[in-house]
Amino acid sequence: MFKITNLIYVYFLLVAFAPIVIFLDYETIDIGFNRLYGGSLILLSFLLLLKKGANKSRFDILMLAAFFVYIFYLITDLVHVQGTVIRKGYVYDFFVNTSLHMLFLVYLVDNYRMPDSLFKNLIVIFKGTVILAFLVSLIQFFDNSFFFTPDEVSAHARQMGSYYSSFRVRRVSIFGYLGMHDISISFLPIFGILMSYYSMVKKRVPYLYLLMAFIVVFVNNSRYAQLGFLITLLPMFMLAKNKWRTALIIGVTVPVVLVLLAIGLSLVGFDVEGYVEQRLLANSASTRLLAFEIFQKFFGRNPWFGSGVHLSNEVIVALAGRSSQIHVGYLAHLYSYGIIGSFLVFGFWLLIFIRFRRTALRTAYWGSVVGILVFLWANVTLVTYQIFTYGIMMSFLFDRYYYHNYLSHAKKDSQ
């Protein structure tokens, strides 16, 4: 007999294999992550709604928040004649709009009870993801920086002048077909889930996986991702019996590992001193300070609803080639969409954090909190509003798994 739950089971398995699935998609039909996973997510949600019925379905405030974000972006597109919706059509936009994808993702995970078998399978896949990402990163580091990398990424590296720079090139491991920033906004949330699993279930630190994940992030050359890696240690810290002792251990272990890594890299011929001087200590703070300067100068002209564009002509002139954009995500969004739009979007992100934190406080599962914190941190130094990533999707799924188990145990205890 046909069961919608079986389709959902397979869907989330395929989400876990997203780096490989999107690579195969790229080489064949080239639909892309949003259309492939987002469109099928909407169809699955409608099927589940038809089966359960509206009366038996759970509708969360997050769905309403995502809907308001969708409506605001839609109105902004029409008012400022951005042309996105008109060019694609309303039906097409409905199936590819990431705000609506988030809406239906919340509905699906809230109304689907993830079985233990899927949980176990996903943990195995996540372990394999870390191992595969590590191996590909090694190849990219020692042999070919653009191995298993889409042409667009290598073309962007040429344009930015980092194609031949071992210190500046972005090695994207297995995540390049998903997006330039998916090592942070997809891989780190996945690793956060894995860290939480080991902290909660195995009661130990997965040192080998920690080392492999760190190397993936290290060779990527993105400092925000390298700092974001520290957020994945949150589950280990929060579940420690003695947090001060754990913080001390982390504070001592991290520098020691970095020194040992530096020695190891020196032995294989890597210019550690050059990396520190040209990458870690490179002056990129100026672009962030410039972002505040540009924001202060132009935000007051359209404070409530924003300029409606990412870069206006006046901002491009003011930047004068010193930066490609307002290089702080929160400031860039405030400039483009104003206080009203940013209140809706930032409020939506905050509600996600509140949901994940609420689950963490009840269940001691902090993996999903890692996912949203990594995303929020990324926008301190980047402009990336793509929250519909496979890492965040898994954060939602695992959050509900632990939350539903918590409710089941609470119900049994009350009987």
Side-chain angles (χ1 to χ4, degrees):
M1 181 182 293
F2 167 79
K3 289 185 177 181
I4 181 62
T5 51
N6 291 340
L7 281 179
I8 298 174
Y9 190 110
V10 173
Y11 174 79
F12 281 117
L13 279 179
L14 292 175
V15 171
F17 283 110
I20 306 302
V21 171
I22 297 303
F23 163 71
L24 296 175
D25 166 71
Y26 180 88
E27 296 293 337
T28 53
I29 54 179
D30 197 18
I31 293 178
F33 180 86
N34 288 340
R35 283 182 288 180
L36 183 62
Y37 283 105
S40 54
L41 171 66
I42 291 176
L43 292 175
L44 281 175
S45 298
F46 275 123
L47 289 175
L48 183 61
L49 178 61
L50 288 174
K51 179 186 177 182
K52 292 178 67 74
N55 293 334
K56 296 183 179 180
S57 293
R58 185 179 186 277
F59 300 97
D60 191 82
I61 190 174
L62 266 177
M63 296 178 63
L64 186 63
F67 179 73
F68 282 143
V69 171
Y70 163 69
I71 292 298
F72 179 83
Y73 281 149
L74 178 64
I75 293 174
T76 299
D77 184 274
L78 295 175
V79 170
H80 291 279
V81 197
Q82 295 175 348
T84 303
V85 177
I86 295 176
R87 184 175 67 253
K88 295 179 179 180
Y90 291 97
V91 175
Y92 180 84
D93 181 71
F94 179 84
F95 281 95
V96 301
N97 190 285
T98 55
S99 297
L100 290 179
H101 293 164
M102 293 301 296
L103 185 157
F104 286 103
L105 173 65
V106 174
Y107 173 80
L108 195 67
V109 297
D110 280 357
N111 293 278
Y112 170 68
R113 183 69 180 266
M114 180 167 73
D116 292 337
S117 61
L118 179 56
F119 172 88
K120 294 176 182 178
N121 286 333
L122 291 177
I123 292 296
V124 172
I125 294 171
F126 293 164
K127 292 178 182 178
T129 299
V130 175
I131 295 172
L132 182 60
F134 167 71
L135 295 175
V136 171
S137 290
L138 288 183
I139 295 173
Q140 292 175 349
F141 184 72
F142 289 107
D143 183 39
N144 179 5
S145 294
F146 298 99
F147 171 74
F148 200 76
T149 300
D151 296 336
E152 291 82 357
V153 175
S154 57
H156 181 265
R158 289 183 185 275
Q159 181 183 0
M160 300 302 293
S162 61
Y163 190 87
Y164 297 105
S165 172
S166 61
F167 301 141
R168 295 177 57 201
V169 64
R170 296 292 188 267
R171 301 179 184 91
V172 292
S173 189
I174 62 174
F175 307 100
Y177 292 91
L178 293 167
M180 280 287 292
H181 305 304
D182 273 78
I183 275 190
S184 63
I185 58 178
S186 278
F187 176 61
L188 291 183
I190 292 297
F191 187 64
I193 294 172
L194 199 58
M195 281 294 294
S196 192
Y197 166 76
Y198 272 95
S199 299
M200 291 182 66
V201 179
K202 297 296 184 179
K203 307 295 184 183
R204 61 185 176 88
V205 179
Y207 292 106
L208 183 59
Y209 287 107
L210 262 173
L211 178 61
M212 289 189 290
F214 174 76
I215 290 175
V216 171
V217 174
F218 171 78
V219 304
N220 175 249
N221 275 338
S222 297
R223 283 169 294 182
Y224 81 92
Q226 292 165 355
L227 289 173
F229 175 79
L230 297 177
I231 300 176
T232 65
L233 304 179
L234 179 66
M236 182 175 65
F237 175 77
M238 294 304 297
L239 293 181
K241 293 181 179 178
N242 189 327
K243 290 183 172 54
W244 287 107
R245 178 173 175 270
T246 302
L248 180 62
I249 291 174
I250 294 174
V252 172
T253 302
V254 171
V256 170
V257 170
L258 290 177
V259 170
L260 293 176
L261 181 63
I263 294 173
L265 289 173
S266 298
L267 292 176
V268 298
F270 183 73
D271 185 4
V272 175
E273 183 179 350
Y275 180 80
V276 172
E277 292 179 355
Q278 299 180 40
R279 184 58 200 153
L280 294 183
L281 301 180
N283 183 23
S284 66
S286 59
T287 59
R288 276 70 191 185
L289 294 175
L290 179 61
F292 282 93
E293 176 188 326
I294 298 297
F295 174 79
Q296 183 179 16
K297 183 175 182 180
F298 294 105
F299 173 69
R301 301 185 182 185
N302 300 284
W304 292 104
F305 294 98
S307 65
V309 295
H310 182 58
L311 284 176
S312 62
N313 291 331
E314 59 185 7
V315 169
I316 294 175
V317 171
L319 289 171
R322 294 174 292 172
S323 178
S324 59
Q325 59 183 327
I326 299 176
H327 227 294
V328 174
Y330 299 105
L331 299 183
H333 198 280
L334 278 164
Y335 169 76
S336 300
Y337 299 104
I339 295 173
I340 302 298
S342 297
F343 173 80
L344 294 173
V345 174
F346 299 166
F348 177 59
W349 298 349
L350 179 61
L351 286 175
I352 295 174
F353 171 77
I354 291 173
R355 168 194 270 227
F356 291 170
R357 181 178 178 274
R358 184 185 301 121
T359 298
L361 293 174
R362 293 175 176 177
T363 67
Y365 163 69
W366 289 88
S368 295
V369 175
V370 168
I372 189 61
L373 284 180
V374 166
F375 175 80
L376 295 174
W377 159 246
N379 275 286
V380 173
T381 59
L382 296 178
V383 181
T384 174
Y385 310 136
Q386 171 68 326
I387 197 170
F388 184 71
T389 67
Y390 99 96
I392 297 296
M393 292 174 71
M394 285 298 163
S395 295
F396 269 96
L397 181 64
F398 274 75
D399 170 79
R400 289 300 92 176
Y401 173 79
Y402 283 100
Y403 181 71
H404 288 151
N405 283 349
Y406 164 80
L407 290 181
S408 295
H409 292 147
K411 184 177 181 180
K412 289 180 181 178
D413 293 341
S414 64
Q415 291 177 349

